[in-house]
Amino acid sequence: MNLATTPQTFDVMLLPNLYGSIIGSIIAGLVGGAGIAPGANIGRKYAIFEQGARHAAKDIAGTRNANPTAFVLSSVMMLRHLGLPFFAEQIQNAVFKTLEQGVVRTPDLGGNHSTAEFTQEIIRNIDL
């Protein structure tokens, strides 16, 4: 309950897989949904970057309406992990600009744009 009401009191949480998935879904709900939260699993030798919440999204399967933000921000985390901060920053800024403008939004963000349209808007917002 404290996680949902006062999440700022937690710095680090170490959990087994099942509880990590549950907590990831709770956190994703706090920030806007499964399509927004990026995630990473970093070990000594390997790292995996993926959507932060485990949401099957069966309700939108095949509709081309999934929000790609979590996957794109997970890629930003991967670029930083690989020592490519310039590219990470460019993409992250484009994602944030797209979200702040609010012109192109997927259905989970209150819009009616497709995954491809949202992704194209992110690409347009990259400042090189």
Side-chain angles (χ1 to χ4, degrees), residues 34-77:
I36 296 289
N41 298 292
I42 301 173
R44 286 184 211 152
K45 292 176 68 175
Y46 304 102
I48 298 171
F49 299 87
E50 59 186 346
Q51 181 174 322
R54 309 301 182 263
H55 184 271
K58 291 179 182 179
D59 56 324
I60 61 169
T63 66
R64 299 185 173 138
N65 287 329
N67 185 336
T69 301
F71 289 108
V72 175
L73 292 178
S74 295
S75 299
V76 166
M77 293 168 66

Side-chain angles (χ1 to χ4, degrees), residues 103-126:
V103 175
V104 177
R105 294 176 293 160
T106 51
D108 64 315
L109 300 176
N112 61 358
H113 295 90
S114 70
T115 304
E117 291 169 325
F118 190 85
T119 303
Q120 285 299 317
E121 188 67 13
I122 292 171
I123 293 167
R124 276 191 286 278
N125 284 325
I126 293 177

Side-chain angles (χ1 to χ4, degrees), residues 74-113:
S74 295
S75 299
V76 166
M77 293 168 66
M78 181 184 69
L79 288 169
R80 283 201 178 93
H81 181 76
L82 294 172
L84 299 166
F86 173 79
F87 299 107
E89 193 73 18
Q90 294 296 313
I91 296 168
Q92 178 179 294
N93 288 343
V95 170
F96 290 168
K97 184 175 181 180
T98 301
L99 292 169
E100 288 169 6
Q101 289 172 337
V103 175
V104 177
R105 294 176 293 160
T106 51
D108 64 315
L109 300 176
N112 61 358
H113 295 90

